[in-house]
Amino acid sequence: MSTILSVNVGTPREVEFRGRMVSTAIYKEPVMGAVRVEGVNVHGDDQADRHNHGGTHKAVYAYAAEDYEWWSSGHRAARHSSPGTFGENLTTRGIDVTGAVIGQQWTIGDVVLEVSEPRIPCFKLGIRMDDPRFPIEFANAGRPGAYLRIIEEGEVSAGAPVELGPPPGHGITVGDIARIHHRQHDAAGRLLTVPQLAESWKNWARRVLAEKASADS
């Protein structure tokens, strides 16, 4: 059964990074009971940088318990990680999050979420893991987690079942997009075939294709 293992929230805090203070909300902790999901957030949660980490297409971030278990035998900083460590709002069980198709809907009680894009790690994940190189390892691992947009508002709680809707026919997953972004720029044109993908990603694909065409000419 697909379920929500944990609901995690956090608010921005100031941390030191390379001699300067930066604001980050990557430190998230599990919460008990039902939590409201509405607008562009989970109640009690926020992002320090809404341009890169929040907004409509990045309202909720999900990461799989199975992927945490994969990390537990690898990177030293991730061996003892627990729900919320990677900054996710929903820690799931029984969902292939990497294989989630863009535009696929998840129903959790009266909440409906829609898979929107992968997480592209930034230096703040390195701060959280106390290893500035960890974002590179995270990207190379090919287990990006999934951002979701909120289609229907409501409440979620740990233990709630998740009903996965039928995947859209284009078949492009969050894992595909992360791989194209990090290593397979030649496949950027595939992103233009995904109706549910945010325009920012399509603009990225167009830039990559234009640069390639210019280099080839």
Side-chain angles (χ1 to χ4, degrees), residues 2-171:
S2 302
T3 61
I4 300 300
L5 182 65
S6 178
V7 180
N8 318 294
V9 301
T11 54
R13 67 173 72 173
E14 296 289 318
V15 298
E16 186 175 355
F17 176 70
R18 295 180 177 175
R20 63 188 178 93
M21 301 303 292
V22 298
S23 182
T24 177
I26 198 171
Y27 294 87
K28 301 192 189 297
E29 299 290 340
V31 292
M32 301 296 292
V35 183
R36 186 78 183 168
V37 176
E38 60 186 356
V40 293
N41 250 324
V42 177
H43 182 72
D45 190 62
D46 203 353
Q47 297 84 33
D49 178 3
R50 285 282 182 91
H51 176 73
N52 291 305
H53 298 124
T56 301
H57 303 295
K58 300 180 182 179
V60 179
Y61 178 52
Y63 205 78
E66 292 85 352
D67 288 330
Y68 271 120
E69 290 160 4
W70 181 87
W71 283 104
S72 69
S73 60
H75 190 277
R76 60 173 179 80
R79 288 174 189 163
H80 305 293
S81 53
S82 57
T85 299
F86 288 169
E88 78 276 10
N89 301 113
L90 303 178
T91 312
T92 66
R93 170 73 71 183
I95 300 175
D96 178 7
V97 176
T98 301
V101 175
I102 303 301
Q104 184 177 29
Q105 294 190 349
W106 300 3
T107 300
I108 311 165
D110 54 355
V111 173
V112 179
L113 306 175
E114 185 174 272
V115 177
S116 54
E117 59 187 88
R119 187 239 198 101
I120 304 301
C122 73
F123 73 97
K124 292 181 179 180
L125 183 58
I127 293 175
R128 178 67 180 89
M129 304 306 290
D130 194 28
D131 181 352
R133 288 190 56 80
F134 188 75
I136 297 173
E137 294 196 34
F138 186 88
N140 289 339
R143 298 168 183 266
Y147 279 113
L148 304 106
R149 56 178 69 93
I150 300 169
I151 304 300
E152 296 288 343
E153 300 176 344
E155 294 184 337
V156 297
S157 59
V162 182
E163 179 183 346
L164 304 179
H170 59 75

Side-chain angles (χ1 to χ4, degrees), residues 98-102 167-174 176 179 190 193-196:
T98 301
V101 175
I102 303 301
H170 59 75
I172 304 296
T173 69
V174 292
D176 292 332
R179 186 167 52 253
R190 296 180 66 194
T193 69
V194 184
Q196 302 90 345

